[in-house]
Amino acid sequence: MKYVFPILLGRLARVLARARGGGSAYPGYLVLKLAPSFLTDVTKQFDRGVLFVLGSNGKSTTTHMLSEVMRAHGLRVFTNPTGANLPQGIASALLSEVSVFGKLKADVGVIEVDEAFAVELSGLLHPSTVLMLNVQVDQLYRFYETSRVADMMTDTAETSSAHVVTNRDDEYLGPFTNPALDVTRFGASSDLVAAAPHGLQNANDFASAGERAALGAEAEVTGLTASGATILLGSETLEVRLPARGLHYAVDAAAAIQAARVALGAEFRSDRAVAAFAAMKPAYGRGERLKIGSDEAEFIMFKNAASLQLNLDALGTAPEQVLLAIDEGTPDISWIYDVDFASLDHVDVVSGAKAWQIALRLEHAGIPIGTVEPDIEKAIDLMRALPAPSTKTKNFIVNYEQMMIARKMLGYPDLEKRA
């Protein structure tokens, strides 16, 4: 009974926040103020434990992949699908699932977690498996040093009660070990990494291939196509369809499969994992294709130099129509001068609060610009007005906040509103 009032009040706050068009984390903040033990008590109900997903980039995508693989094994999964990864965001996601008495019908929690709050959350949620994806240069205004982010992740990994899955190819994370834990690794073959235009964009690369290879990887990406990947899982070779293109998505898939494998133990079946990927849709705003008139808008989301570079590298050929937008959700974009824009031969519309900064960078790179329109809603109207592309695809390369606005303008509410 102790959660009835906080949950009802939190749900009322959700309704009011929706009516105002945002504020999805506030209801969770309110519940945690009224009931500080809410997260711990609710997640204790997961018979199969809690799985944490950490990393500078790829958390939402990998959380989505891992959730779908676990569902393919017949489990009821709770997750935070919009990427709300702070304590209040996770509490808000739980609000849409629990009964008024705090009961939750789920077998396992697959939760994306912000690195700065990961140790705190591990003390509340007691993860049985911690998956560490990568350490890439991100939010230096907040984290100061990438090594500090690595320490946050490895400190969290030390709290796992059973399994740690880490990135063999990341020099910060690959060497992690703890004799009390089952530590396994994922990665990509040396040939694939060498063939990628800018590698995997990890913040620190191994000094020698021998050091990297010595660690081994239980799940390794050995082949890549425009729509899929070959993953060597132990002695078994899996052909996996990817929900979005690029080597980084293939590596995320290997990470998700290995995490599911150790979490499920003897119950894991590779054919079910492959089937999950075959039916999988892209994660929220990450490679999604949404209708825009008679054409489709493909959303390519980024938040830092590494994610932007990896997504640009995955384009293959220059897109026919492109909108590029960044707003104040990315306060310092000086890193944009480290990005190679060679995969673009033009940009039709530049938008967001940082539009003129992007335009200056593109000018330095010699990339023609059609229009600079800082207002994202007007910019989307300009994209709508362009002639139908022969590819039937209008590419939206945007950060998170601009993606949210664009989706709503195209008639697609966020996942919180569909809950």
Side-chain angles (χ1 to χ4, degrees):
M1 291 294 291
K2 69 176 181 177
Y3 288 125
V4 172
F5 176 69
I7 288 172
L8 289 176
L9 193 60
R11 287 183 173 170
L12 175 61
R14 286 182 79 238
V15 171
L16 296 175
R18 290 178 186 181
R20 296 182 62 183
S24 63
Y26 179 73
Y29 171 83
L30 186 61
V31 169
L32 292 179
K33 281 292 184 183
L34 295 171
S37 62
F38 176 74
L39 286 175
T40 301
D41 288 347
V42 171
T43 55
K44 278 181 180 176
Q45 299 172 57
F46 299 140
D47 293 335
R48 308 302 291 268
V50 173
L51 284 62
F52 273 12
V53 180
L54 311 174
S56 298
N57 283 309
K59 289 191 292 290
S60 296
T61 294
T62 309
T63 298
H64 172 64
M65 290 175 172
L66 180 52
S67 296
E68 292 305 306
V69 172
M70 299 296 274
R71 289 185 177 115
H73 284 80
L75 298 183
R76 297 171 297 178
V77 178
F78 164 78
T79 189
N80 46 338
T82 64
N85 55 23
L86 302 180
Q88 59 268 29
I90 296 168
S92 286
L94 283 167
L95 272 176
S96 67
E97 303 287 338
V98 297
S99 72
V100 292
F101 300 106
K103 300 299 181 182
L104 184 64
K105 294 181 179 179
D107 302 305
V108 64
V110 179
I111 302 177
E112 170 185 341
V113 177
D114 180 274
E115 290 72 38
F117 290 85
V119 171
E120 173 189 340
L121 281 165
S122 69
L124 298 173
L125 307 184
H126 309 292
S128 54
T129 301
V130 173
L131 170 57
M132 302 189 291
L133 295 173
N134 49 59
V135 179
Q136 298 172 335
V137 179
D138 180 37
Q139 300 184 57
L140 294 182
Y141 60 89
R142 178 183 175 212
F143 292 128
Y144 310 121
E145 298 289 343
T146 50
S147 59
R148 187 163 175 255
V149 178
D151 289 342
M152 293 172 181
M153 290 193 216
T154 55
D155 287 349
T156 306
E158 296 283 0
T159 70
S160 171
S161 62
H163 306 289
V164 174
V165 179
T166 190
N167 186 343
R168 186 267 317 273
D169 304 324
D170 189 303
E171 192 170 0
Y172 283 120
L173 303 178
F176 175 84
T177 187
N178 183 323
L181 299 171
D182 170 41
V183 180
T184 58
R185 295 171 177 82
F186 63 91
S189 72
S190 297
D191 290 344
L192 284 178
V193 176
H198 299 91
L200 290 173
Q201 289 288 298
N202 292 330
N204 217 26
D205 292 326
F206 280 102
S208 75
E211 289 177 298
R212 175 177 168 273
L215 292 170
E218 284 75 9
E220 182 178 61
V221 182
T222 58
L224 184 68
T225 67
S227 60
T230 302
I231 297 174
L232 183 62
L233 188 67
S235 59
E236 187 177 7
T237 299
L238 310 184
E239 297 296 336
V240 173
R241 174 190 165 274
L242 297 176
R245 60 179 178 260
L247 179 58
H248 53 309
Y249 283 105
V251 173
D252 290 344
I257 289 171
Q258 179 59 17
R261 186 187 186 197
V262 300
L264 290 166
E267 296 175 49
F268 176 80
R269 286 181 48 183
S270 58
D271 59 331
R272 293 189 180 181
V274 171
F277 276 90
M280 196 179 295
K281 294 181 179 179
Y284 182 62
R286 285 94 171 161
E288 276 187 308
R289 299 179 69 90
L290 306 175
K291 293 296 291 182
I292 178 169
S294 59
D295 303 312
E296 286 187 317
E298 179 180 3
F299 282 88
I300 300 170
M301 204 197 83
F302 66 93
K303 65 171 182 170
N304 50 40
S307 59
L308 179 54
Q309 188 67 73
L310 289 167
N311 280 305
L312 290 174
D313 290 349
L315 287 174
T317 58
E320 189 172 342
Q321 293 184 2
V322 186
L323 176 145
L324 178 57
I326 310 178
D327 68 359
E328 294 293 352
T330 306
D332 176 11
I333 65 165
S334 58
W335 50 258
I336 204 167
Y337 285 87
D338 292 329
V339 175
D340 180 2
F341 286 94
S343 56
L344 301 178
D345 60 10
H346 78 289
V347 173
D348 295 281
V349 184
V350 176
S351 188
K354 309 287 190 181
W356 289 106
Q357 291 169 263
I358 303 171
L360 181 62
R361 171 66 184 104
L362 294 177
E363 181 181 5
H364 277 290
I367 297 173
I369 299 170
T371 305
V372 178
E373 174 48 74
D375 187 314
I376 186 63
E377 296 188 1
K378 293 179 181 178
I380 291 169
D381 286 337
L382 289 171
M383 288 293 287
R384 288 182 193 268
L386 292 175
S390 61
T391 58
K392 297 296 183 183
T393 300
K394 297 174 184 279
N395 291 88
F396 287 67
I397 304 174
V398 291
N399 68 339
Y400 185 85
E401 292 78 7
Q402 300 293 270
M403 178 270 292
M404 294 280 285
I405 295 170
R407 287 180 95 263
K408 289 176 183 177
M409 281 195 66
L410 297 180
Y412 297 88
D414 63 49
L415 294 186
E416 284 287 324
K417 290 192 175 184
R418 288 186 283 172

